[in-house]
Amino acid sequence: MAKAKAPRRPLESCTIKHINKTINAGDCVLMRPADQSNPQYVARIERIDADARGGNVKVLARWYYRPEESIGGRRQFHGSKELFLSDHYDVQSADTIEGKCTVHSFKSYTKLDAVGNDDFFCRFEYNSSTGAFNPDRVAVYCKCEMPYNPDDLMVQCEDCSDCRSLKNWNWFHPACIEMTAEEAKRLDHFFCETCSSEGKKKLRNSHAASRPSDTKVDTKRRRR
């Protein structure tokens, strides 16, 4: 006769001794990969439980996938710190947790003053069996009609009345408007080809001693 499984009891939190961190249900964590040459896995802890004596602590992990782990693979608009919240769950030993991290909403991530090693963002949920994403559509930008990648530099036309009727096409990648990133960073004002009275890019240098605080130039994410 098979031996009955010993009952387990739920825990609100657990302390991971080798990293001296307390983990709560709902926390996002970095977990040890099977192959040490791979980056750490990222998961959201859904549940924590232990045996009757409080040992053998297990966690129910809901995995985040990196773009390259998805069926479609990494695409140009995927940020370097982008993750997809998947429908893939596993029970893991709490000892495989190697640290805590933060998975921001896309909006919150783009407002960070600096991006740390343990900062990530998520804007899609991912079905690991079908490869489907939720939402299945996002806003596109620039003449290239690509979703926004927060790692990329973009410039905004200041007088884009026509472009505003075309979704978000008043934001441009420098390369798409025949401009280098260095030139874009030096801009005080930018007017796209449609809005420029000369029918080409028009730059206006500010006479102020310092760069205006409302300049519409979106710089790359700064990293700690």
Side-chain angles (χ1 to χ4, degrees), residues 53-129:
R53 296 181 178 180
N56 190 23
V57 179
K58 303 282 188 181
V59 296
L60 177 63
R62 183 178 181 180
W63 299 111
Y64 285 96
Y65 279 33
R66 289 181 169 84
E68 54 269 25
E69 297 167 336
S70 68
I71 292 174
R74 179 172 287 279
R75 297 183 62 186
Q76 181 181 343
F77 64 87
H78 290 142
S80 61
K81 307 301 292 289
E82 184 157 8
L83 303 171
F84 310 143
L85 182 60
S86 79
D87 58 351
H88 179 185
Y89 297 79
D90 276 321
V91 174
Q92 299 285 310
S93 168
D95 290 337
T96 61
I97 296 174
E98 297 188 325
K100 296 177 76 170
C101 62
T102 303
V103 181
H104 302 269
S105 69
F106 183 63
K107 183 177 181 180
S108 296
Y109 181 85
T110 59
K111 291 182 178 180
L112 292 178
D113 291 328
V115 177
N117 291 333
D118 298 333
D119 285 312
F120 301 90
F121 74 89
C122 177
R123 56 179 156 179
F124 298 107
E125 291 191 11
Y126 175 69
N127 186 307
S128 58
S129 59

Side-chain angles (χ1 to χ4, degrees), residues 4-220:
K5 269 190 174 183
R8 298 182 64 81
R9 59 188 181 89
L11 302 176
E12 291 185 4
S13 64
C14 65
T15 299
I16 311 300
K17 293 182 179 179
H18 64 276
I19 60 172
N20 195 28
K21 297 283 186 183
T22 298
I23 304 298
N24 298 281
D27 284 347
C28 292
V29 298
L30 302 166
M31 303 192 77
R32 185 185 312 130
D35 184 345
Q36 293 298 301
S37 64
N38 291 331
Q40 293 167 307
Y41 299 135
V42 182
R44 189 172 75 191
I45 302 304
E46 302 293 313
R47 188 181 70 235
I48 306 171
D49 60 37
D51 62 24
R53 296 181 178 180
N56 190 23
V57 179
K58 303 282 188 181
V59 296
L60 177 63
R62 183 178 181 180
W63 299 111
Y64 285 96
Y65 279 33
R66 289 181 169 84
E68 54 269 25
E69 297 167 336
S70 68
I71 292 174
R74 179 172 287 279
R75 297 183 62 186
Q76 181 181 343
F77 64 87
H78 290 142
S80 61
K81 307 301 292 289
E82 184 157 8
L83 303 171
F84 310 143
L85 182 60
S86 79
D87 58 351
H88 179 185
Y89 297 79
D90 276 321
V91 174
Q92 299 285 310
S93 168
D95 290 337
T96 61
I97 296 174
E98 297 188 325
K100 296 177 76 170
C101 62
T102 303
V103 181
H104 302 269
S105 69
F106 183 63
K107 183 177 181 180
S108 296
Y109 181 85
T110 59
K111 291 182 178 180
L112 292 178
D113 291 328
V115 177
N117 291 333
D118 298 333
D119 285 312
F120 301 90
F121 74 89
C122 177
R123 56 179 156 179
F124 298 107
E125 291 191 11
Y126 175 69
N127 186 307
S128 58
S129 59
T130 66
F133 290 92
N134 181 32
D136 59 358
R137 294 183 182 183
V138 292
V140 296
Y141 296 79
C142 190
K143 296 159 72 173
C144 63
E145 298 185 53
M146 293 292 289
Y148 179 48
N149 181 340
D151 297 333
D152 289 345
L153 177 71
M154 298 190 82
V155 295
Q156 185 181 32
C157 175
E158 294 186 33
D159 188 28
C160 229
S161 55
D162 289 338
C163 294
R164 286 193 188 105
S165 66
L166 299 174
K167 302 177 183 177
N168 298 297
W169 288 2
N170 56 330
W171 285 94
F172 300 89
H173 300 108
C176 294
I177 51 176
E178 300 178 2
M179 183 184 296
T180 67
E182 290 69 27
E183 288 172 333
K185 290 176 183 178
R186 292 196 297 266
L187 291 178
D188 286 323
H189 302 276
F190 169 71
F191 297 87
C192 71
E193 183 176 358
T194 302
C195 297
S196 173
S197 59
E198 292 83 10
K200 60 182 180 180
K201 296 184 297 293
K202 184 176 181 180
L203 310 182
R204 294 181 180 175
N205 294 322
S206 172
H207 296 293
S210 60
R211 189 186 185 93
S213 60
D214 61 348
T215 299
K216 298 181 177 66
V217 176
D218 186 21
T219 59
K220 284 185 179 180

